[in-house]
Amino acid sequence: MLTIKQITENTEAVIRGLEKKHFKNAKETIDQVIALNDKRRTTQNQLDKNLAEVNSLSRTIGQLMKEGKKEEAESARARVAELKEGNKELDAVMTQAATEMQNVLYTIPNVPYDSVPEGVGAEDNVVEKMGGMETELPKDALPHWELAKKYDLIDFDLGVKITGAGFPVYKGKGAQLQRALINFFLDEARKSGYTEIMPPTVVNAASGYGTGQLPDKEGQMYHCEVDDLYLIPTAEVPVTNIYRDVILEEKQLPIMNCAYTQCFRREAGSYGKDVRGLNRLHEFSKVELVRIDKPEHSKQSHQEMLDHVEGLLQKLELPYRILRLCGGDMSFTAALCFDFEVYSEAQKRWLEVSSVSNFDTYQANRLKCRYRNADKKTELCHTLNGSALALPRIVAALLENNQTPEGIRIPKVLVPYCGFDMID
């Protein structure tokens, strides 16, 4: 959430940034926030004056009574009563203005950095880098959903029977490959200095608001209505919320956490998109990186996270590319985001496997996540997160890009985790 200070001190820049993200009615919304803030401040000032007058009059009433000035004392009492009654109304007006302002602020996305390209959608993203090994497949190469059936790795129909579409059942070496990837990703994160967290996979509404999934992504989340809890769409939500309402010491930063969780997304609005196989699921496994950092160090943290994810793809021997997302394709909460995609040779398409984002102070302001600097003053932290990695499309690419006439080859780095070097 943007701070009032950010909005009032850089109003035009904020509006330009929101327009870069194609946020509708940016100027009108910011004007509404400013008007509500002015109303809140004006009312607060009047309330403060009234309270000061009440305190002053209250001190004089006793003195007036001692001096026998009963009529003046009664007049002062009447004035105090009048002020207190008026203060109730002022307090109600101030509370309503503050609440309305907060609700409007929740609907405003983060302002992108200047380095974010202009653009409306995915076609306007900028390719920053391409890497990995080129793949040559047999002429009769199969997509992963057919490979999964051929080698009895994943049963999509069984998932439909048990739950519904988008909830696959992994079997045998398919399940082992999933577990191998999870352990590999977690081990690599620990080697890079991340502390492993095992958080809950359901969160309360306060956690959803803290990281910005609510109210923006409410329709994408599974809601347990009886208990008002949400299944997490990513480990970013519970792990970042560890630091909600926390003041950290500067020496603790950067905080580096990683977590493996199951993730749940309703994928509302995905009709018409490629949903075959593992391309788009409602439940999937993911290892997430989360950092809490000082503002002046967050750029370096972001780069270190990008390097980490790229290293994983290189070790998995997959062809990949890194995209700098344009304003129109960025998430609600991100100030700067890079996507990693792997190439599926059998599908002839790029598959997104990670987004690595810097949120600046946007989440921290919602979370009230602060740190105490060297001058003992509290400042908002920067928060960052990235998938390292999301498993479904990694599995899809591994199966498709490593198929041979003899079977599916396992990348060398995964063999110790799998216990086999070939799926046949």
Side-chain angles (χ1 to χ4, degrees):
M1 185 169 64
L2 300 178
T3 65
I4 293 300
K5 184 178 180 181
Q6 286 172 323
I7 290 172
T8 54
E9 290 186 355
N10 302 284
T11 304
E12 294 303 318
V14 168
I15 291 171
R16 286 196 302 272
L18 295 176
E19 289 173 344
K20 195 175 189 178
K21 268 197 174 181
H22 299 274
F23 177 66
K24 293 181 180 179
N25 303 317
K27 186 178 186 308
E28 292 84 349
T29 305
I30 293 302
D31 287 345
Q32 184 183 5
V33 169
I34 293 172
L36 287 167
N37 187 52
D38 288 343
K39 184 177 182 180
R40 180 194 63 80
R41 289 179 62 186
T42 300
T43 309
Q44 176 73 68
N45 290 337
Q46 186 59 54
L47 184 60
D48 290 343
K49 288 178 182 179
N50 287 4
L51 289 171
E53 187 177 351
V54 166
N55 291 336
S56 177
L57 287 170
S58 297
R59 287 193 297 269
T60 62
I61 288 171
Q63 185 63 33
L64 290 170
M65 291 296 290
K66 286 180 182 179
E67 295 174 359
K69 298 177 181 178
K70 187 176 179 181
E71 187 174 333
E72 292 182 36
E74 290 300 325
S75 177
R77 282 197 182 99
R79 177 58 179 162
V80 167
E82 179 187 356
L83 286 168
K84 286 184 175 180
E85 192 62 33
N87 287 350
K88 291 179 183 178
E89 296 179 12
L90 288 171
D91 189 64
V93 170
M94 184 180 68
T95 300
Q96 183 179 357
T99 300
E100 289 180 10
M101 183 180 69
Q102 184 87 347
N103 289 338
V104 175
L105 284 171
Y106 276 137
T107 70
I108 301 174
N110 199 359
V111 175
Y113 287 158
D114 291 340
S115 58
V116 172
E118 298 281 352
V120 177
E123 65 280 1
D124 298 314
N125 294 332
V126 177
V127 178
E128 292 278 311
K129 184 178 180 181
M130 299 186 70
M133 301 172 63
E134 292 186 8
T135 307
E136 291 186 13
L137 297 185
K139 291 182 180 179
D140 57 351
L142 301 174
H144 68 272
W145 52 87
E146 293 186 24
L147 291 168
K149 186 174 184 179
K150 177 180 178 180
Y151 294 104
D152 197 23
L153 304 174
I154 307 168
D155 196 322
F156 296 99
D157 292 334
L158 186 56
V160 171
K161 173 187 175 181
I162 296 170
T163 308
F167 296 88
V169 175
Y170 297 85
K171 302 166 63 178
K173 287 187 175 181
Q176 288 175 261
L177 177 59
Q178 279 275 111
R179 184 158 47 84
L181 282 164
I182 292 165
N183 288 333
F184 167 63
F185 293 152
L186 287 173
D187 283 353
E188 290 296 303
R190 285 195 297 270
K191 289 175 186 176
S192 295
Y194 290 87
T195 299
E196 184 176 348
I197 304 291
M198 188 173 286
T201 51
V202 292
V203 294
N204 54 32
S207 294
Y209 276 95
T211 45
Q213 276 67 33
L214 297 177
D216 178 58
K217 292 291 187 291
E218 193 164 10
Q220 297 287 351
M221 297 171 73
Y222 284 96
H223 187 200
C224 309
E225 293 182 2
V226 173
D227 301 301
D228 194 23
L229 297 173
Y230 294 84
L231 300 183
I232 62 170
T234 165
E236 166 200 345
V237 182
V239 176
T240 311
N241 269 277
I242 292 171
Y243 306 97
R244 173 156 46 94
D245 298 319
V246 171
I247 298 178
L248 300 161
E249 295 300 325
E250 186 173 8
K251 63 184 179 182
Q252 294 177 265
L253 302 175
I255 288 173
M256 301 166 57
N257 290 330
C258 66
Y260 152 69
T261 63
Q262 290 296 99
C263 303
F264 304 87
R265 299 182 186 179
R266 293 184 60 243
E267 292 291 357
S270 63
Y271 179 81
K273 296 182 180 179
D274 192 342
V275 296
R276 296 201 68 179
L278 298 171
N279 287 340
R280 195 172 294 273
L281 301 178
H282 294 305
E283 179 182 0
F284 58 95
S285 303
K286 183 153 70 85
V287 172
E288 192 78 359
L289 306 179
V290 173
R291 288 203 188 197
I292 313 292
D293 209 345
K294 296 185 294 185
E296 61 267 28
H297 190 257
S298 72
K299 183 178 180 180
Q300 180 177 332
S301 272
H302 199 185
Q303 186 59 54
E304 289 172 2
M305 295 171 77
L306 294 170
D307 293 342
H308 179 86
V309 174
E310 184 176 9
L312 296 177
L313 295 175
Q314 290 172 341
K315 289 175 183 178
L316 291 174
E317 305 168 36
L318 289 171
Y320 65 89
R321 68 180 184 180
I322 306 171
L323 304 177
R324 183 188 293 262
L325 298 196
C326 69
D329 200 35
M330 277 173 54
S331 73
F332 185 84
T333 49
L336 177 64
C337 181
F338 293 87
D339 272 6
F340 285 79
E341 297 180 335
V342 295
Y343 191 69
S344 160
E345 188 65 44
Q347 296 182 69
K348 301 297 182 185
R349 63 193 295 260
W350 290 96
L351 307 174
E352 180 196 331
V353 294
S354 176
S355 290
V356 184
S357 302
N358 188 333
F359 304 108
D360 201 270
T361 60
Y362 188 85
Q363 288 183 333
N365 187 39
R366 286 173 171 246
L367 295 160
K368 294 182 174 59
C369 173
R370 294 158 288 171
Y371 76 99
R372 191 173 284 107
N373 63 24
D375 297 326
K376 304 302 180 184
K377 294 181 180 179
T378 57
E379 296 184 38
L380 288 171
C381 298
H382 278 199
T383 62
L384 308 93
N385 85 275
S387 307
L389 289 158
L391 269 71
R393 293 168 188 167
I394 287 289
V395 171
L398 285 174
L399 296 180
E400 293 176 1
N401 291 8
N402 291 298
Q403 58 184 298
T404 71
E406 292 75 34
I408 300 171
R409 182 185 66 84
I410 299 298
K412 291 180 182 179
V413 74
L414 290 181
V415 172
Y417 291 92
C418 290
F420 53 85
D421 60 6
M422 185 74 74
I423 294 174
D424 50 24

